Amino acid sequence: MNAQMGKEFNLYSLVVERDGEDTLTEPPIFPCSEEPHEPFLVRETPINFPSQNRLLLWGTVRTVGDQFDGDRTDVHDIFAIVWASVMRAFGLASPILRYEEHIIAPNEIGACHVAFTQCPWRISETNFQQAKRSMTAWTSLGFHLLDEVFKWYRIVPFHRSNRAAQEEMSAPWVPLITRYLKNPNDVITSKRRYPNWHYFASRKRGISIIRMPITNITALKRVLSPFSPDMVRGEEAYALFANGIPNAIPYRTIKQGQKLLSLVENKLDRKILILPIDSHCLFIGERTIIAVEGEFGYNTFQKEQELFFERRVIENRVFFAESKITWNTPLNARSMESLCLELIQREPGVIRAKPVGDTNDRDGGRDIVIDWRIPTQHTKGWVEDASQKDVVSGGVKTIRIIAQIKYRSKTIGKRDVQDIRDTLEHYEAGGFLLIAHPRISSSLLDHLEKLRNSTNLLTDWWDSADLERKLKQHPDIARCYPDILTILI
């Protein structure tokens, strides 16, 4: 058995890399992969599950009295939760659990049905038998991997300990949980030796708690390790995507699960594994599994997605994150000069900036004198590219920069920007900034780069794309100039 398990575990490491239809057409293959593995039974016919517009595979956890003595609510609940969680970790489904009351014993769960919702396979009457064989094989693999959790092959039969009835309510966390849940009148507790667990549940509150040894929980986390979701904060829930399946967990559920786990374990472990299926959300700590009933499937995810898109529309109005700016040409000279002046004044390190001379109505052309504090070791590039290390190690100094605004219907060329050195000398400036709309020519680019590399002059240029990026960072400025630009959201 150990050698066999070793081979199967290696197989497990390979098959979890598959996704989508591959898991249907290439299920794990080993000697007993096509055999049923109780208590996990994949059913012989598909179902049309409510709210699902397609055929589904489903399964059942049902045991008999000679397997487990006493009330078997705990057995059916725990095995179904774990089976569903393994299938979610494998990317095979995000199941919904439905409980069936015992025919004879009231208030006892006689079976638990597992509907394999969000299964990536498109199941039809034609391929159902293939799908059933594949799901049976994956379930068989899960069964063997769970051996370290439930000790399926222990010689001693599964049973409750002789002192179970007295021990069930003696754990200090039981009354704490009961009070937190506002004393529901349907609390069920059970303690077994094989499998080794302490169980607490209230169907009215939708809470199941399983307490097991650390080694068993650690083994379970290993089995569930393929579940590694990408997760983002939404408006009302965390939205996540893992192994091709979406889920969403409301913040109130996160808060509740963490609170319950802290009451049971008397601490809140930062390494909690949170795993949702469509009908439950699991919080797995050091020795405890908390299962909270709720809606954590595609519908909740889709609702969060809709809220996200609504928020994005509002954010775009504020931040212009996905907006487009179009320029109303020909540009008004004074508005263009004023807009550029305001953007310069918002740049980090600018002490003062003021225009000098007269506006040239043809192409702008007015100079702006800027006193700019920059890192002392930052001599060639431009201030917004300076590293924090430069600032810390070398300090800052104030340099006078001359900015010129040039705009044309097409490209700004070298002939449009002349006598740069004479202008800088006139103002006793140490740097030059060209603001060119819509863009500069290749010859002017070469000229500016040569000026930057062959002198100690700070040299930089902004084109229309740079202006648009800065306007998105300062939307209040953009709103003030509807005569020269239009914002499309």
Side-chain angles (χ1 to χ4, degrees), residues 68 101 182-183 185 198 205 218 269 294 307 340 389:
F68 302 91
E101 288 194 8
K182 299 182 179 180
N183 300 302
N185 60 7
H198 192 165
R205 300 292 187 264
T218 300
D269 190 346
L307 292 173
C340 293
K389 180 179 179 182

Side-chain angles (χ1 to χ4, degrees), residues 106-282:
N107 302 320
E108 178 180 339
I109 294 176
C112 185
H113 304 293
V114 181
F116 295 110
T117 48
Q118 295 207 65
C119 179
W121 312 336
R122 284 291 172 183
I123 299 171
S124 63
E125 297 287 352
T126 304
N127 73 346
F128 173 75
Q129 290 303 321
Q130 179 190 20
K132 176 182 176 295
R133 286 194 299 271
S134 294
M135 188 62 76
T136 298
W138 286 107
T139 297
S140 301
L141 175 63
F143 174 90
H144 288 296
L145 293 174
L146 289 170
D147 183 49
E148 289 301 311
V149 181
F150 296 121
K151 311 296 183 185
W152 303 119
Y153 297 106
R154 289 295 296 263
I155 297 175
V156 179
F158 292 101
H159 71 288
R160 291 159 58 93
S161 66
N162 294 331
R163 294 179 297 171
Q166 294 77 24
E167 292 174 345
E168 284 167 5
M169 297 303 294
S170 64
W173 57 268
V174 171
L176 294 176
I177 295 295
T178 303
R179 284 197 296 271
Y180 175 76
L181 297 178
K182 299 182 179 180
N183 300 302
N185 60 7
D186 67 334
V187 169
I188 296 173
T189 63
S190 177
K191 190 167 185 178
R192 296 181 185 271
R193 183 176 298 173
Y194 304 110
N196 188 347
W197 66 48
H198 192 165
Y199 172 80
F200 174 104
S202 168
R203 295 273 69 77
K204 289 184 178 179
R205 300 292 187 264
I207 300 296
S208 298
I209 300 175
I210 306 106
R211 185 86 163 148
M212 301 181 76
I214 292 177
T215 54
N216 300 57
I217 294 295
T218 300
L220 177 61
K221 288 180 177 179
R222 283 199 300 269
V223 176
L224 300 178
S225 62
F227 181 78
S228 181
D230 294 319
M231 185 181 300
V232 296
R233 288 184 62 91
E235 288 293 302
E236 300 175 357
Y238 280 107
L240 59 91
F241 193 81
N243 299 340
I245 297 175
N247 293 93
I249 311 171
Y251 297 133
R252 64 180 183 276
T253 302
I254 298 284
K255 182 178 179 180
Q256 182 185 31
Q258 291 177 335
K259 178 62 176 179
L260 290 168
L261 197 57
S262 67
L263 289 174
V264 177
E265 298 198 334
N266 199 28
K267 63 179 181 179
L268 187 57
D269 190 346
R270 292 184 179 180
K271 297 182 180 179
I272 297 173
L273 171 60
I274 302 177
L275 185 150
I277 58 175
D278 276 21
S279 63
H280 290 71
C281 185
L282 272 62

